[in-house]
């Protein structure tokens, strides 16, 4: 699309169109006088703008609003059918999908189980997941959250093994998906997408420098610096599970993708083993931590042991966070993932206490407030932002 020349009528129309569409997106259905008042346009200009947006299929009538006796006003709204996007969260066990229209309204969701699939066509798997969610034929863009990250230099998925993401280690992953699905595709690290959701809807809103730590079966983090997500040269910024940690095996000793570093110190299997040594059990890290918190509220030896176990986990988590904090100096640190959310305020306070004993910067630690699947929430935000930017510029003549 040809960009309008600065200072020309087409540029002014583009600016006015975007302002009107943004107002409809943020405020919902509006009358022509309301659009004029919000954009500062005269009645004739507002009328021309609405006619132009209707012709482009971006705005539709939404009924009549009764006013003073004998006076009515047509109400306009953003056309939900102007564009559709999808968000996907891919794990080894399943693919979760959420489809929404340009207003952000969710029109379909689906979970496609993928148990035991060691390879296979990733395009067909993603297509099946989208079809299960009822994705329309005119789907414009999909943002896919994965474990690991795309290396911009090679186009391949890195920082994840074939066990983590079976079938996804192919050359030119993003172009292959885009061509096969017939739409624009972006592949993003899942924890980065959680940070996107936290920045838009959670406790990180309004913060330009923050770290997010995800702790569950695996460990991961995201870095937002100056308001922007920092991915690093190979896409691996935040892959802290591989970070060397005192008392844990190193990559030199056990192999690059073996259990070592921060992951070996305080990943999911380590949490289960640590709490078991204090007499607290669970089938998953989150359940074991939840059991420890509940037991710690009582009195007696079992409660004392549970508290000691939680302090042990907190101290281990703080070791990795201390290294990140010393380098990044964030405003806040957001804690999320099954292990940390199961620990609630009890574990949060313990980790904060241990961290502040290790570092000169003392950022507050905050629990995530994003509900539901934060990977899907962040992916949907990215898909909608990019698509609205394109669609809201589509009235500019080419």
């Amino acid at each position: 699309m040809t960009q309008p020349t600065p200072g020309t009528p087409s540029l002014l129309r583009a600016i006015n169109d975007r302002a009107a569409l943004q107002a409809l997106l943020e405020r919902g259905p509006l009358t022509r006088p309301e659009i004029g008042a919000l954009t500062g346009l005269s009645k004739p200009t507002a009328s021309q703008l609405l006619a132009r947006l209707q012709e482009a299929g971006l705005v539709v009538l939404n009924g009549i609003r009764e006013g003073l006796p004998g006076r009515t006003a047509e109400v306009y709204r953003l056309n939900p059918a102007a564009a559709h996007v999808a968000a996907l969260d891919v794990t080894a066990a399943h693919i979760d999908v959420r489809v929404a229209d340009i207003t952000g309204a969710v029109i379909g969701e689906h979970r496609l189980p993928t148990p035991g699939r060691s390879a296979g066509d990733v395009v067909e798997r993603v297509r099946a997941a989208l079809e299960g969610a009822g994705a329309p034929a005119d789907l414009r863009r999909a943002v896919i959250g994965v474990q690991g990250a795309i290396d911009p230099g090679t186009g391949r998925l890195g920082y994840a093994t074939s066990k983590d993401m079976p079938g996804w280690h192919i050359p030119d992953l993003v172009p292959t998906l885009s061509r096969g699905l017939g739409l624009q595709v972006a592949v993003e690290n899942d924890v980065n997408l959680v940070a996107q959701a936290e920045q838009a809807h959670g406790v990180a809103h309004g913060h330009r420098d923050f770290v997010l730590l995800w702790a569950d079966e695996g460990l991961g983090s995201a870095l937002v610096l100056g308001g922007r997500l920092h991915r690093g040269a190979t896409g691996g910024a935040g892959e802290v599970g591989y970070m060397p940690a005192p008392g844990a095996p190193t990559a030199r000793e056990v192999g690059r993708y073996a259990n070592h570093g921060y992951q070996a110190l305080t990943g999911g299997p380590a949490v289960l083993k640590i709490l078991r040594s204090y007499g607290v059990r669970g089938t998953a890290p989150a359940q074991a931590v939840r059991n420890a918190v509940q037991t710690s509220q009582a009195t007696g030896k079992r409660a004392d042991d549970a508290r000691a176990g939680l302090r042990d986990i907190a101290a281990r988590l703080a070791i990795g966070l201390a290294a990140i904090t010393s380098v990044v100096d964030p405003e806040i640190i957001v804690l999320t993932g099954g292990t940390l959310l199961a620990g609630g305020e009890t574990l949060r306070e313990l980790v904060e206490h241990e961290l502040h004993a290790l570092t000169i910067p003392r950022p507050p630690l905050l629990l995530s407030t994003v509900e539901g699947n934060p990977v899907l929430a962040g992916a949907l935000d990215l898909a909608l932002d990019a698509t609205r930017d394109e669609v809201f510029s589509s009235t500019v003549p080419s």
Side-chain angles (χ1 to χ4, degrees), residues 195 198-199 204 207-212 222-224 330-332 334:
E198 203 64 54
Q199 189 175 29
H207 293 278
R208 293 181 57 79
D209 293 274
F210 71 91
V211 168
L212 179 140
L223 309 177
V224 174
E331 295 177 69
I332 62 169
V334 181

Side-chain angles (χ1 to χ4, degrees), residues 107-185:
I107 63 172
E109 293 185 311
H110 180 63
R111 169 170 285 188
L112 176 70
T114 57
R117 297 194 182 185
S118 59
D121 189 339
V122 295
V123 173
E124 291 308 313
R125 266 183 276 171
V126 172
R127 180 180 287 115
L130 290 170
E131 289 175 352
D138 64 348
L139 190 69
R140 193 179 187 111
R141 174 180 276 101
V143 174
I144 304 174
V146 300
Q147 297 178 53
I150 297 292
D151 184 334
T154 66
R156 285 180 174 271
L157 182 68
Y159 299 96
T161 67
S162 57
K163 180 181 178 181
D164 299 323
M165 297 294 297
W168 286 75
H169 293 78
I170 60 174
D172 300 319
L173 176 60
V174 173
T176 298
L177 287 166
S178 295
R179 286 194 302 267
L181 298 171
L183 53 98
Q184 297 177 73
V185 173

Side-chain angles (χ1 to χ4, degrees), residues 23-45:
L24 289 166
L25 176 66
E26 294 173 356
R27 296 172 178 263
L30 297 169
T31 64
R32 186 203 62 190
E34 289 171 336
I35 291 173
L38 288 169
T39 58
L41 300 176
S42 65
K43 289 182 180 180
T45 303

Side-chain angles (χ1 to χ4, degrees), residues 19-86:
L21 291 166
Q22 194 65 36
L24 289 166
L25 176 66
E26 294 173 356
R27 296 172 178 263
L30 297 169
T31 64
R32 186 203 62 190
E34 289 171 336
I35 291 173
L38 288 169
T39 58
L41 300 176
S42 65
K43 289 182 180 180
T45 303
S47 295
Q48 293 170 7
L49 177 148
L50 285 169
R52 186 165 60 248
L53 295 180
Q54 281 183 282
E55 184 179 356
L58 301 181
V59 166
V60 293
L61 277 172
N62 194 52
I64 301 294
R65 184 181 299 171
E66 299 291 340
L68 296 173
R71 298 180 63 183
T72 60
E74 293 179 331
V75 180
Y76 299 87
R77 65 185 173 96
L78 196 61
N79 182 8
H84 295 91
V85 301

Side-chain angles (χ1 to χ4, degrees), residues 239-261:
E239 292 288 350
V240 295
Y242 300 108
M243 181 172 64
T250 66
R252 178 184 295 146
E253 295 165 336
V254 298
R256 291 178 64 195
Y257 292 105
N259 189 33
H260 65 83

